[in-house]
């Protein structure tokens, strides 16, 4: 039985869905659920990663250090993971996080900018903690470029590289091609992080492990921005059915999912038409809420906004451009 | 470009989700949406098919003949389809439906009982209308048996055979194997009808056309019992992206889906833990509501009920067994 390491960003990526307003009580409750079911890694921190709480990206109700402290006090078996984008998180933020007990650090960059992860990966390894590289918005680079960027992360000391389908663009054939290429080129494990814009988050995750990946991300009930992530309890049940070993208790996870739905999930993600357009356009899922809000406010078609954002190849951190595009479309249709 | 014929059972299979209580106004609104987007076939009638409105299966707010009349008066381009289970619908019901203007008849049986479709298929063909065979709960028979049953339907005059994954059990590899076998053995088109219990409804539908199917079913926002069906607008967008020709206007369909969500869908289906267990157990999706309701009433675990129903190989029409199983489990845990 092939083993798959599950990392659970429910409290991190999921927090996009509630604009980073999860309370300590909600987070503690979910940590207990995940820990009891045997989830190996629980990610914490702001939706956009360590140090991202800000006016522009959204302020967290609970600070990153407080979330890490809570995780350290609550989790008995699961490791504490964080998502770190160099430039958003400083080495000083990272040092504090490690001091508070973080075990696993995902150092992430846009898919063509692995260079920026070097210092952070090396620092984490020098401190004796686990470091993984993450290539975000991976559909924006050709396969050969992804392989080169992943190889850089490996050379910095990353113990695995995770491909993120940040915009939920991929279909299984896309995942298979990319994971196969990475698995063939790297000596470290390959991982995959899905979004559900085109209804394929779970299927793409399965395609990833079938193609040689051994790390998968999923959130409970798919909790996340827009169409959400790979639905963790469905993914684990399917992996179990297919004979992959996750060492997670499926029944406990399914029961825990019911409880989590009542306690942390204001609305279980569904695929609305905007999600589909954002997936077709290849735009970051985290932009669904601001695009829908601003489109409503200025009475423009969110479809047009997404397609234009896709043409401009907008990436996380460029939220200003949404307002710009909405204004331009509103002006062009006012005549 | 390979062509895929889309049949839309939103108003038929979807009505399970609202216990067959859609109003004429709601149905007319959705028919206009589907027709404007270019959906080729719109299915109408009770969720369990023509003539199923009853105390046991649930009484429709609008009768089958009234729904067909409404469709005939409303649809300008789409054909009117109905789902017919011989025994539930008599030949007399069928004659009335054809008289009212039905174009396409799906004659359905449990996957091992194609024999019962003979008279109905022959009658529909003798009246010059389109007849398809449908194998429900297709996971309950081995591949060779499915091929034999489908071949019978072909011999009766069926112009295509649709495999239903009524319990949402399949993963893409299962679909590929079955569709390939059918496509190789039959001279008529093969179709596939998915449910989303394991998060694979859209991916399985794509796997079906990749394996040679040319007819797919989907409902708007996945509207249907339990975890719902293949989400129609996502499916059509994905087929379009992959280069399959559906002759449906994707943007109109996405806009129409927003409207449909507001007007006919009380709650967009999501995958809850019961859906997953029902998918793992191989139990008909239409049973999710009664199982949850009765499990709550008698304070038993719906997981246990589903697993027991799976062991007993319960099929549609055996709703009595749910109550029996719930009572037995309640009694066994009362000590």
């Amino acid at each position: 039985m092939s083993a798959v390491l599950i990392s659970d960003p429910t409290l991190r990526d999921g927090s996009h869905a509630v604009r980073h307003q999860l309370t300590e009580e909600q987070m503690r409750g979910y940590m207990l659920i995940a820990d009891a079911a045997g989830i190996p890694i629980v990610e914490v921190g702001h939706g956009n990663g360590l140090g991202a709480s800000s006016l522009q990206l959204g302020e967290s109700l609970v600070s990153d250090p407080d979330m890490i402290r809570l995780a350290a006090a609550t989790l008995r078996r699961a490791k504490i993971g964080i998502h770190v984008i160099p430039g958003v998180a400083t080495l000083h933020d990272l040092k504090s996080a490690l001091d508070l007990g973080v075990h696993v650090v995902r150092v992430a960059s846009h898919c063509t900018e692995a260079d920026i992860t070097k210092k952070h990966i090396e620092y984490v390894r020098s401190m004796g903690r686990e470091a993984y590289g993450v290539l975000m918005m991976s559909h924006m680079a050709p396969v050969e470029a992804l392989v080169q960027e992943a190889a850089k992360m490996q050379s910095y000391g990353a113990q695995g590289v995770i491909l993120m389908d940040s915009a939920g663009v991929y279909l299984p054939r896309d995942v298979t091609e990319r994971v196969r290429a990475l698995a063939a080129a790297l000596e470290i494990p390959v991982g995959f992080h899905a979004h559900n814009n085109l209804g394929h988050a779970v299927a793409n995750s399965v395609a990833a492990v079938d193609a040689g990946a051994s790390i998968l991300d999923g959130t409970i009930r798919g909790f996340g921005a827009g169409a959400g992530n790979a639905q963790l309890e469905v993914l684990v049940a399917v992996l179990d059915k297919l004979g992959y070993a996750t060492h997670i208790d499926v029944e406990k996870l399914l029961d825990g999912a019911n409880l989590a739905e009542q306690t942390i999930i204001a609305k279980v993600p569904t695929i609305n038409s905007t999600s589909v357009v954002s997936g077709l356009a290849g735009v970051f899922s985290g932009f669904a809420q601001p695009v829908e809000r601003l489109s409503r406010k200025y009475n423009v078609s969110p479809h047009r906004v997404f397609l234009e954002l896709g043409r401009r190849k907008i990436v996380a951190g460029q939220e200003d451009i949404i307002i710009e595009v909405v204004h331009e479309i509103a002006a062009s249709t006012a005549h």
Side-chain angles (χ1 to χ4, degrees), chain A:
Chain A
M1 273 211 313
S2 205
V4 177
L5 177 65
I6 297 288
S7 184
D8 175 356
T10 296
L11 299 176
R12 198 271 302 165
D13 214 4
S15 76
H16 281 292
V18 291
R19 302 172 76 180
H20 320 286
Q21 298 304 301
L22 290 176
T23 66
E24 289 220 357
E25 202 42 48
Q26 288 178 308
M27 291 192 277
R28 181 184 295 112
Y30 184 69
M31 288 172 190
L32 292 171
I33 289 168
D35 209 41
I39 299 290
I41 302 170
V42 170
E43 271 190 47
V44 296
H46 184 278
N48 294 77
L50 191 73
S53 178
S54 62
L55 269 178
Q56 199 191 24
L57 296 176
E59 291 185 280
S60 299
L61 180 66
V62 179
S63 74
D64 291 340
D66 283 346
M67 267 191 257
I68 298 168
R69 275 186 207 102
L70 180 67
T74 308
L75 297 171
R76 311 218 154 237
R77 299 193 290 169
K79 292 178 180 173
I80 306 170
I82 54 173
H83 179 79
V84 170
I85 303 175
V88 176
T90 63
L91 277 177
H92 179 263
D93 294 329
L94 186 53
K95 182 179 184 311
S96 306
L98 297 187
D99 288 346
L100 290 170
V102 163
H103 305 98
V104 178
V105 180
R106 296 273 196 100
V107 186
S109 77
H110 183 67
C111 59
T112 54
E113 296 170 4
D115 297 7
I116 69 163
T117 65
K118 183 171 191 285
K119 273 191 192 162
H120 288 66
I121 291 174
E122 287 175 350
Y123 177 71
V124 172
R125 293 303 309 274
S126 76
M127 299 297 287
R129 308 293 167 90
E130 294 176 40
Y132 292 84
V134 175
L135 294 169
M136 299 188 295
M137 296 292 282
S138 63
H139 70 286
M140 293 180 80
V143 181
E144 316 76 59
L146 291 176
V147 169
Q148 283 177 13
E149 298 295 307
K152 285 184 199 167
M153 288 172 157
Q154 176 176 272
S155 76
Y156 307 151
Q159 291 154 288
V161 174
I162 288 89
L163 278 187
M164 277 197 175
D165 181 18
S166 311
V169 170
Y170 289 149
L171 297 175
R173 60 202 75 191
D174 306 311
V175 177
T176 301
E177 183 190 7
R178 283 160 180 78
V179 169
R180 267 199 198 138
L182 259 67
L186 301 180
E187 283 153 30
I188 54 177
V190 176
F192 184 68
H193 173 108
H195 282 269
N196 203 36
N197 297 62
L198 300 181
H200 275 76
V202 175
N204 283 344
S205 302
V206 173
V209 294
D210 283 344
S214 57
I215 305 167
L216 291 176
D217 291 0
T219 65
I220 209 79
R221 289 285 190 268
F223 194 42
N229 294 54
Q231 191 170 336
L232 178 63
E233 71 279 20
V234 179
L235 177 60
V236 171
V238 168
L239 291 173
D240 192 63
K241 181 178 161 137
L242 289 173
Y244 288 104
T246 63
H247 306 298
I248 293 168
D249 183 323
V250 175
E251 191 162 348
K252 273 193 188 159
L253 187 62
L254 288 169
D255 286 340
N258 287 336
L259 186 59
E261 181 173 343
Q262 292 160 23
T263 51
I264 66 168
I265 302 179
K267 184 184 166 298
V268 175
T270 57
I271 307 172
N272 66 20
S273 297
T274 307
S275 320
V276 178
V277 177
S278 114
L280 294 174
V283 172
F284 175 49
S285 314
F287 291 163
Q289 278 198 352
V291 167
E292 291 197 325
R293 196 169 59 244
L294 291 165
S295 298
R296 221 176 297 123
K297 186 170 172 187
Y298 290 93
N299 194 30
V300 301
S301 151
H303 295 200
R304 287 193 57 192
V305 176
F306 270 115
L307 293 175
E308 181 56 29
L309 293 174
R311 265 192 292 274
R312 296 196 191 184
K313 299 193 180 301
I314 179 177
V315 296
Q318 300 182 318
E319 281 74 4
D320 305 348
I321 299 181
I322 303 175
I323 302 171
E324 195 178 304
V325 166
V326 168
H327 278 170
E328 283 179 23
I329 294 176
S332 75
T333 51
H335 299 288

